[in-house]
Amino acid sequence: MSKVKYYYDPDTLSYRKIEPKKSKRYWNIAFFFLGSLLFGLLCLVFLLNTNLINTPRELSLQREVKNYELQFELLNKKMEQIEEVLANIEDRDNNIYRLYFEANPIPEEQRKAGFGGVNRYKSLEGFNNSEMVIATTKRLDIIKKQMAIQSKSLDEITKLAKEKEKLLASIPAIQPINNEDLTRMASGFGWRSDPFTKARKMHRGMDFTAPKGTPVYATGDGKVIRADNRSSGFGKHIRIDHGYGYMTLYAHLSRYNVKRGQKVERGDIIGFVGNTGRSEAPHVHYEVWKDEERINPINFYYGSLSAEEFENMLKYATQENQSLD
């Protein structure tokens, strides 16, 4: 209850009750409501700018942000696993695949290089979690780049593997005559006695004796570049270009089974044993050329001989006897 106020009236020599004016009462009421409204607005603004009270919308957004943070954490763990697998593949690529196929390893700086130039992540700046989002995006971009480099490397390895397979098929790797048809390995590569002059002479091939008409086989894939008797001393002979600097020669044949320009595969019958040209008995004079130089064929029979058979051949091939041509 409000206090009642009085004033002293000298005319009546008594105290009279002070009656407030109606207009002042109305102003007091108006100021009270205005003050209350301002106070309420200030409280509302304060509460809205603090975490004391959240609206349902804000609570929903907070849950959504938490969910995104969890997804980013899971994404980073998956990227760690991908990086481990990728590192293992890169290691095998550099130290096994590329080493085997004699290709230069890819430098670590090239595999792990980032992205220079303009700021690729400007659109991700200015948010509460920008740092986390940018770091994850950068990491993902680097992984994608690493995968692209690795994919290109494996394409190169596949190409090299196919080329290696072709090379292995082309290198001379078997005897020109089957062991079952072979009478003996008459003469090897090195200094031998000439059958006609008896002088000591360099014999740049190997002589395989066999009955006339015995099949002669291509020792590697290639292309026939000669099948004629226009080379002094060789009689009817065949030359096969195997590529990669390799060429083989088969001399003193009785007849041909291929013609010039024909492609052959290892094991194809290309001709038959004879005694043509400068020859003392039916046999095949066999030569292996590498980069236009004749080399010892004894090192090229790994595709048809066992260890014991190779040891026996090596024993006969190293004997300084008489050649047949």
Side-chain angles (χ1 to χ4, degrees):
M1 185 174 178
S2 61
K3 293 181 179 180
V4 179
K5 294 182 179 182
Y6 297 87
Y7 71 96
Y8 180 73
D9 188 354
D11 294 331
T12 61
L13 300 176
S14 64
Y15 288 95
R16 298 179 65 89
K17 185 178 181 180
I18 299 174
E19 297 291 341
K21 296 181 181 179
K22 289 185 178 181
S23 60
K24 188 175 181 180
R25 182 181 298 176
Y26 292 146
W27 276 111
N28 288 338
I29 294 172
F31 278 125
F32 173 77
F33 281 110
L34 182 61
S36 300
L37 179 62
L38 289 174
F39 179 77
L41 287 174
L42 289 172
C43 290
L44 181 62
V45 170
F46 174 76
L47 292 174
L48 289 176
N49 284 278
T50 63
N51 295 322
L52 297 176
I53 298 177
N54 291 312
T55 65
R57 172 66 176 166
E58 287 174 330
L59 292 173
S60 175
L61 289 174
Q62 286 177 0
R63 285 193 296 269
E64 195 172 338
V65 169
K66 289 281 186 185
N67 182 54
Y68 281 133
E69 288 175 351
L70 177 62
Q71 293 300 321
F72 266 96
E73 187 177 342
L74 293 174
L75 178 61
N76 275 284
K77 288 183 179 179
K78 288 180 180 178
M79 284 195 292
E80 283 179 13
Q81 295 173 349
I82 292 171
E83 285 169 341
E84 288 179 8
V85 173
L86 196 54
N88 181 265
I89 294 173
E90 289 172 351
D91 181 65
R92 283 185 289 165
D93 182 42
N94 273 351
N95 300 310
I96 299 178
Y97 309 142
R98 301 185 74 83
L99 188 64
Y100 177 77
F101 293 110
E102 300 175 355
N104 292 326
I106 299 174
E108 190 74 7
E109 303 77 37
Q110 183 179 341
R111 289 185 183 274
K112 299 280 193 301
F115 301 89
V118 297
N119 184 1
R120 299 164 58 90
Y121 311 104
K122 192 171 182 62
S123 61
L124 302 176
E125 295 176 351
F127 300 98
N128 291 337
N129 297 309
S130 288
E131 187 176 338
M132 178 183 68
V133 175
I134 291 173
T136 302
T137 307
K138 280 182 180 179
R139 195 174 178 185
L140 189 58
D141 285 344
I142 291 174
I143 290 175
K144 285 164 64 179
K145 185 177 180 181
Q146 286 179 258
M147 292 180 69
I149 292 172
Q150 187 57 53
S151 177
K152 187 176 179 181
S153 176
L154 291 177
D155 288 341
E156 183 183 352
I157 293 298
T158 302
K159 185 178 178 181
L160 290 171
K162 290 179 180 178
E163 193 68 21
K164 190 83 169 184
E165 185 179 355
K166 184 180 176 183
L167 167 63
L168 294 175
S170 300
I171 294 176
I174 63 173
Q175 290 183 155
I177 294 178
N178 278 335
N179 265 349
E180 294 79 9
D181 301 325
L182 186 64
T183 303
R184 67 189 178 95
M185 211 293 295
S187 181
F189 185 93
W191 291 96
R192 300 292 182 267
S193 176
D194 187 279
F196 299 101
T197 66
K198 306 306 178 183
R200 196 164 178 266
K201 180 183 176 183
M202 186 64 181
H203 187 244
R204 300 186 183 279
M206 295 183 72
D207 293 340
F208 296 87
T209 59
K212 186 177 179 180
T214 300
V216 177
Y217 300 93
T219 57
D221 295 1
K223 182 180 180 181
V224 178
I225 55 174
R226 287 187 68 172
D228 57 59
N229 61 355
R230 296 193 302 273
S231 188
S232 177
F234 287 142
K236 291 183 178 179
H237 78 293
I238 293 171
R239 301 187 192 203
I240 298 176
D241 182 4
H242 301 279
Y244 309 99
Y246 289 97
M247 192 270 289
T248 51
L249 180 147
Y250 314 76
H252 312 302
L253 305 176
S254 60
R255 58 192 177 94
Y256 312 111
N257 196 47
V258 291
K259 58 185 178 180
R260 184 174 178 270
Q262 182 176 335
K263 289 185 177 180
V264 294
E265 294 182 355
R266 180 183 294 149
D268 287 350
I269 297 175
I270 58 172
F272 302 90
V273 173
N275 192 30
T276 59
R278 192 176 184 273
S279 172
E280 190 179 60
H283 76 288
V284 169
H285 174 79
Y286 174 64
E287 293 182 1
V288 176
W289 293 60
K290 178 68 170 76
D291 298 329
E292 301 184 356
E293 288 188 12
R294 285 175 283 192
I295 57 178
N296 195 343
I298 194 72
N299 301 311
F300 292 87
Y301 301 132
Y302 58 84
S304 60
L305 297 179
S306 66
E308 185 179 353
E309 289 171 335
F310 181 78
E311 188 175 347
N312 288 332
M313 173 174 282
L314 187 61
K315 176 183 175 182
Y316 288 112
T318 52
Q319 292 178 354
E320 193 170 328
N321 55 5
Q322 179 180 286
S323 65
L324 296 179
D325 46 36

